[in-house]
Amino acid sequence: MSERIQKLLVRLRKGIAKSKEVFAHLDRTEWEIVLYEDPYPWTMRDLLAHFFSAEEGLLRLVQDVAAGGEGAPEGFDYQAFNAREQARLACVPHGQLMDDLVAARQCTLSWVEELEESALDQAGRHPALGEITVETFINAIYGHQLMHVRDLQRALD
């Protein structure tokens, strides 16, 4: 396994461990704290649902790019996607969402472990970042959760 892939795997493992740690320490009232107001109120629970949904969706897109596809369609509306996903996952308890997120991250890890290093240089469209390489896409999966975890931690301080 190449050093580039090993670095990606380390980041992905570190990221899910951090997410698990932060969410595990929320008490019952903290799950209902509104973290974001726009475009509609998102609670901590909604953020966890977003993590799970984004992990699955971004993995599908990066797999497409690695296989020579375009990735996200031109003009992809990720705000509308997020709203649909929040509605779809609204009744899933946070414990199940965490289990689902961990399983989704394991799918990402398993896929990256099998990835050929040459695929890291394939380029395609990320829904928010535009045209990027597979390597950057994988780093963005890690960074996406990290960015939101920082916001979560600020909201709790």
Side-chain angles (χ1 to χ4, degrees):
M1 182 181 307
S2 78
E3 186 177 324
R4 287 168 71 192
I5 289 177
Q6 287 176 14
K7 284 181 181 180
L8 292 169
L9 290 167
V10 166
R11 285 186 178 140
L12 290 168
R13 288 184 183 111
K14 177 182 173 185
I16 194 63
K18 183 65 174 176
S19 293
K20 285 171 56 176
E21 174 191 335
V22 169
F23 283 110
H25 289 95
L26 295 180
D27 66 33
R28 196 166 57 191
T29 60
E30 289 171 328
W31 281 102
E32 298 307 316
I33 292 173
V34 174
L35 185 59
Y36 302 115
E37 293 289 344
D38 278 338
Y40 46 85
W42 272 27
T43 64
M44 301 295 188
R45 188 230 160 264
D46 296 330
L47 180 62
L48 180 56
H50 174 63
F51 278 12
F52 166 58
S53 172
E55 185 82 22
E56 286 189 323
L58 292 172
L59 176 59
R60 282 191 302 272
L61 290 174
V62 73
Q63 286 172 326
D64 177 62
V65 172
E70 294 182 11
E74 186 76 42
F76 180 80
D77 184 348
Y78 63 86
Q79 296 288 9
F81 172 81
N82 287 338
R84 285 190 306 274
E85 288 295 285
Q86 285 298 324
R88 177 178 75 89
L89 298 169
C91 294
V92 180
H94 61 78
Q96 181 63 51
L97 287 170
M98 181 53 73
D99 291 345
D100 292 344
L101 172 60
V102 170
R105 177 56 58 94
Q106 187 53 54
C107 289
T108 301
L109 288 164
S110 295
W111 179 74
V112 172
E113 286 172 353
E114 299 299 319
L115 199 58
E116 295 291 328
E117 184 175 5
S118 60
L120 295 176
D121 299 319
Q122 288 280 101
R125 198 175 304 98
H126 183 281
L129 303 176
E131 193 82 10
I132 59 175
T133 65
V134 166
E135 184 171 21
T136 302
F137 218 118
I138 296 166
N139 276 313
I141 291 171
Y142 160 73
H144 173 251
Q145 282 189 13
L146 182 63
M147 171 193 71
H148 286 305
V149 164
R150 286 181 184 152
D151 291 345
L152 184 156
Q153 290 174 315
R154 274 187 233 130
L156 293 174
D157 289 341

